[in-house]
Amino acid sequence: MFKNKNKSTLSRTAATTAAVVLTAAAVVAATPGVASAVSSPLSCAHIATHFDLARQQTPENIALAPDGSAYVTFAAARQVARVTPGGSTRILATLPAPADGGNHTPVLGFALTTGIVRAHDGTLYFLYATGTADLTGLWRLRPGGAPRRIAALPAAGLPNGLALDPSTGTLYVTDSVLGTISSVPTTGGTPRTWSTAPELASTGFLGANGLKIRGGAVWATNLDRVTVLRIPVLRDGRAGPVQTRATGLTGIDDFSFTGHGDQILAALNGPGEVALVRPDGTHSTVLTAADGLQNPTSIALRGDTAYVLSAAYVTAKDPNLLLAHLNDRIATQTVLTSTLPTRS
């Protein structure tokens, strides 16, 4: 069993839970010979920003802005932060702690901020899981404003992945405990259960996880089932039949499309790797701990730059933001106006 040896850097509950969270997914990390250098189509991997574990800065999810800023959720600290193009970190919001300290948060036992997206007007939407009815849900943070919950989500669940369909103003939410995907308008209100497909369910730990919108479909990962799923959005907005697009991705968390068809980069949290998943479902390792990964949680791409967050949940060494160059022939079409510089 993997244990967090530096418990002083997190609260006792969060540290112990974090070790448990990744143990089931991290078995392959204990096997020898996993280290390797950055591989094609990525190159020039380097750590751009180091976060402060003593302040519970365990980055869980990321959203990018046109100016090169990265907005991140610090799970254990219950915070939303901005990493500037210069590499500095500024806390934008700290969410209120639940009355019970988060001890009743399903499966994990500590309150945490999870998925985050950014709308074109700079508004941030993010998820907060506490195990309590008064705080668990979808939150909104407008530029210069204060965080506000705009939709309550089940306290018995664990809202995790978040994706925005700007064409309809719809936010989609995965629940890793309930095994569902819900939809909520950006204006807030009562969530609607969009899919309860069995492929989203856990097998005892955490199920539906990362989430993206692409090509008229909702894409999701399942941590327990080590899969990537595609669910078409039908003309009436309902969920179509689930397609399993990739399997065998142990520890899969969040992911991002490269811009080359349905090819994706996936964060494999427990193994401490990033995998390239091809449209036919085959996959290969392109980043490892040798490149600086410390339990990677999420990935975002802008232009030819990949942003990879590592939370160090189990390694308890160096939560960080890693940047890598994506080969031009499969780069996304969005132009990166500026990137985060290398920092020692």
Side-chain angles (χ1 to χ4, degrees), residues 25-288:
V27 175
V28 298
T31 59
V34 296
S36 65
V38 59
S39 302
S40 180
L42 297 181
S43 62
C44 304
H46 61 276
I47 304 299
T49 302
H50 298 274
F51 300 116
D52 190 345
L53 197 59
R55 296 182 179 179
Q56 300 183 321
Q57 292 182 351
T58 52
E60 174 63 24
N61 206 237
I62 186 171
L64 303 180
D67 68 351
S69 297
Y71 293 92
V72 304
T73 51
F74 288 139
R78 314 186 319 276
Q79 292 176 331
V80 175
R82 175 177 178 250
V83 181
T84 70
S88 63
T89 301
R90 182 167 70 92
I91 304 302
L92 302 179
T94 300
L95 297 194
D100 65 359
N103 292 335
H104 292 94
T105 304
V107 178
L108 304 186
F110 66 99
L112 67 160
T113 48
T114 53
I116 186 170
V117 296
R118 179 187 181 276
H120 291 306
D121 64 357
T123 299
L124 300 175
Y125 299 90
F126 54 95
L127 299 170
Y128 187 33
T130 68
T132 61
D134 60 328
L135 294 173
T136 300
L138 172 67
W139 290 64
R140 180 176 65 205
L141 179 62
R142 290 188 169 129
R148 174 175 174 262
R149 190 173 74 159
I150 62 171
L153 291 166
L158 187 77
N160 197 337
L162 182 64
L164 169 63
D165 184 347
S167 66
T168 62
T170 303
L171 292 153
Y172 292 88
V173 180
T174 59
D175 192 300
S176 297
V177 169
L178 300 180
T180 62
I181 297 177
S182 298
S183 63
V184 187
T186 53
T187 53
T190 303
R192 179 174 68 92
T193 301
W194 187 73
S195 178
T196 58
E199 292 89 345
L200 299 171
S202 77
T203 59
F205 185 52
L206 297 175
N209 198 323
L211 192 65
K212 293 291 183 292
I213 307 294
R214 181 176 177 82
V218 173
W219 293 67
T221 64
N222 187 313
L223 176 66
D224 279 359
R225 299 177 188 271
V226 299
T227 53
V228 175
L229 309 171
R230 180 183 185 274
I231 310 176
V233 180
L234 303 180
R235 289 185 178 181
D236 61 3
R238 293 182 300 113
V242 178
Q243 305 161 2
T244 300
R245 300 299 294 268
T247 61
L249 292 157
T250 299
I252 191 167
D253 199 325
D254 195 28
F255 64 101
S256 185
F257 289 95
T258 65
H260 184 65
D262 290 338
Q263 185 168 255
I264 68 175
L265 290 171
L268 306 186
N269 197 318
E273 298 173 351
V274 167
L276 178 73
V277 184
R278 302 172 189 87
D280 64 0
T282 60
H283 47 88
S284 58
T285 301
V286 292
L287 289 172
T288 73

